[in-house]
Amino acid sequence: MHTTKQLEEWIDLYGQKLFDRAYYLLSNREDAEDLVQDVYVAAYSAVEQFQEKSNPLTWLIGILQHKVSDYYRKKYKGNPQVSLDHFFDHQEFWKDTDGILKNWDSQDGSLLDNETFNVFLEKCLEELPDRWLTLVKLTYLEEKKSSEICQDTNISPTNYWKILQRSRLQLRECLQFNWFEK
């Protein structure tokens, strides 16, 4: 039998780890704090159901993952207002990006070890629309499967792939301008 006292101990033991995970997934301090509070409220309501078949942190992380999925489902339920003018010309054709997106050398694979480059990468990521950033993070940082992401964010697979393609193009152009040409 679990008590409220035990849950208070879990807050002290695992609160920072849960917050770090939530912040990593949401990139917003206030939302991460709110989500961690929601996790503990849910855990308090279900503490009697915890059967100690796993570590309490594992159980709490599971609750957090469900809360994150709910957060994104709710956040992106409506149609976002994203301007695609950046990628299309006035006739709605893809803009010619040959002059913008130059070939990068294969030696650039070590760039992620460069702290200055990572600062520019973060800035370029921040310029993505929220919905695009979410998909990029879930795909490349969380390494979730596309089907799971589509279900969590309530978008079609076609829309998912289009958003990822546009995100990569925008990131590449931003890095080209802010890093490779300077």
Side-chain angles (χ1 to χ4, degrees):
M1 177 182 245
H2 300 280
T3 65
T4 305
K5 179 106 172 119
Q6 191 170 24
L7 192 57
E8 289 174 6
E9 289 174 11
W10 291 352
I11 292 171
D12 292 338
L13 288 172
Y14 309 121
Q16 187 62 48
K17 288 180 182 176
L18 287 173
F19 171 77
D20 291 345
R21 181 75 176 157
Y23 184 71
Y24 172 77
L25 293 170
L26 302 176
S27 299
N28 181 294
R29 183 174 196 76
E30 292 80 22
D31 289 341
E33 290 170 348
D34 290 344
L35 213 62
V36 170
Q37 287 179 351
D38 290 347
V39 167
Y40 281 116
V41 169
Y44 178 79
S45 299
V47 72
E48 294 299 324
Q49 297 170 356
F50 179 64
Q51 300 173 1
E52 295 188 35
K53 291 182 180 177
S54 65
N55 181 311
L57 178 60
T58 304
W59 184 63
L60 293 169
I61 291 281
I63 295 171
L64 176 68
Q65 290 295 104
H66 288 288
K67 295 291 181 187
V68 168
S69 293
D70 291 344
Y71 169 87
Y72 283 127
R73 251 187 236 109
K74 186 187 302 179
K75 184 172 182 174
Y76 298 118
K77 198 171 196 172
N79 291 328
Q81 299 299 322
V82 176
S83 172
L84 301 177
D85 295 339
H86 184 70
F87 301 106
F88 299 100
D89 64 18
H90 65 287
Q91 295 175 325
E92 297 185 9
F93 290 106
W94 280 99
K95 286 184 178 178
D96 177 17
T97 57
D98 290 339
I100 299 170
L101 303 178
K102 298 178 174 90
N103 288 329
W104 294 346
D105 294 333
S106 60
Q107 65 188 6
D108 296 332
S110 63
L111 282 175
L112 292 178
D113 297 330
N114 183 321
E115 285 184 40
T116 309
F117 174 79
N118 283 315
V119 169
F120 283 102
L121 177 61
E122 275 296 318
K123 287 179 182 178
C124 289
L125 283 167
E126 289 172 10
E127 290 180 16
L128 291 174
D130 287 342
R131 186 174 201 171
W132 295 14
L133 179 59
T134 298
L135 295 183
V136 167
K137 282 189 171 189
L138 292 173
T139 301
Y140 298 111
L141 300 178
E142 283 296 303
E143 298 180 348
K144 284 190 165 190
K145 293 182 179 180
S146 61
S147 58
E148 186 179 350
I149 295 170
C150 290
Q151 182 180 6
D152 288 350
T153 58
N154 198 27
I155 63 171
S156 70
T158 302
N159 196 15
Y160 166 79
W161 291 110
K162 284 181 181 179
I163 290 172
L164 276 185
Q165 178 188 22
R166 292 171 182 158
S167 299
R168 289 189 298 261
L169 283 172
Q170 185 170 327
L171 283 172
R172 183 175 174 111
E173 183 176 356
C174 179
L175 288 171
Q176 181 69 40
F177 179 76
N178 291 298
W179 177 260
F180 289 99
E181 290 185 2
K182 293 197 176 197

